[in-house]
Amino acid sequence: MKINIVMVEPEIPQNTGNIARTCAAIGAKLHLVHPLGFDISEKAIRRAGLDYWDKVEIEEHQSFKEFLEKYKVEENNMYFATTKGKHVYSEPDYSKMDEVFILFGKETKGLPEDILQKYIGQTIRIPMRETLRSLNLSNSVAIVAFEILRQKNFENLEEISSYFK
């Protein structure tokens, strides 16, 4: 299973650093779609990712349009994470997929509304109380990514720490 985490115009370096660390830990590819709200070499993003930067595969795209031209929605298992999602993130059967793309929008605005409307059937959400706006972006990525891994029985991940062996 190849998991692709796609960050569309992320704004907060610490979130992206945390997401990169999650991607390194699970072997997911991280796509960064420009414009970014920070410089990838900033100390804050490096600190949040700790020493995992050399363990994560990162692909940068100069625009969302460029990303969608390279990875066509119709040809890939692609899901759009949004608080307005039509499906709960655990509904898709990821276990039957060889590769999946999960797209997340910028912290302040999410994904573009026209894209969400065009692909409404592929929108996913994390259930939460109505009175709250959203979860932290890096937490949302971890929740969805680990559901995909759970459905694949945590394939290729260590299940029991060597500490307990």
Side-chain angles (χ1 to χ4, degrees), residues 25-40:
I26 64 174
K29 182 175 183 177
L30 177 60
H31 296 260
L32 296 176
V33 179
H34 290 254
L36 307 179
F38 49 86
D39 184 313
I40 196 84

Side-chain angles (χ1 to χ4, degrees), residues 1 3-5 19 22-23 26 28 89 94 100 102 104 124 126 138-152 154 157:
M1 159 67 86
I3 300 173
N4 294 275
I5 301 298
I19 291 163
T22 297
C23 288
I26 64 174
Y89 72 100
Y94 305 109
V100 64
I102 308 294
F104 296 86
I124 57 173
I126 299 169
S138 62
N139 291 339
S140 297
V141 169
I143 289 167
V144 176
F146 274 89
E147 172 59 18
I148 294 167
L149 292 166
R150 185 195 66 77
Q151 287 189 23
K152 286 290 219 178
F154 300 101
L157 296 180

Side-chain angles (χ1 to χ4, degrees), residues 53-94:
W53 285 101
D54 63 334
K55 295 168 184 65
V56 63
E57 182 181 359
I58 298 175
E59 184 174 335
E60 292 187 58
H61 306 273
Q62 293 311 305
S63 69
F64 193 35
K65 181 182 177 199
E66 178 188 289
F67 170 82
L68 291 173
E69 286 171 358
K70 182 172 183 177
Y71 298 102
K72 301 196 180 345
V73 177
E74 298 76 19
E75 297 173 8
N76 293 282
N77 297 308
M78 202 169 286
Y79 294 92
F80 302 84
T82 172
T83 56
K84 307 168 193 119
K86 184 174 174 91
H87 302 281
V88 173
Y89 72 100
S90 56
E91 283 181 45
D93 188 355
Y94 305 109

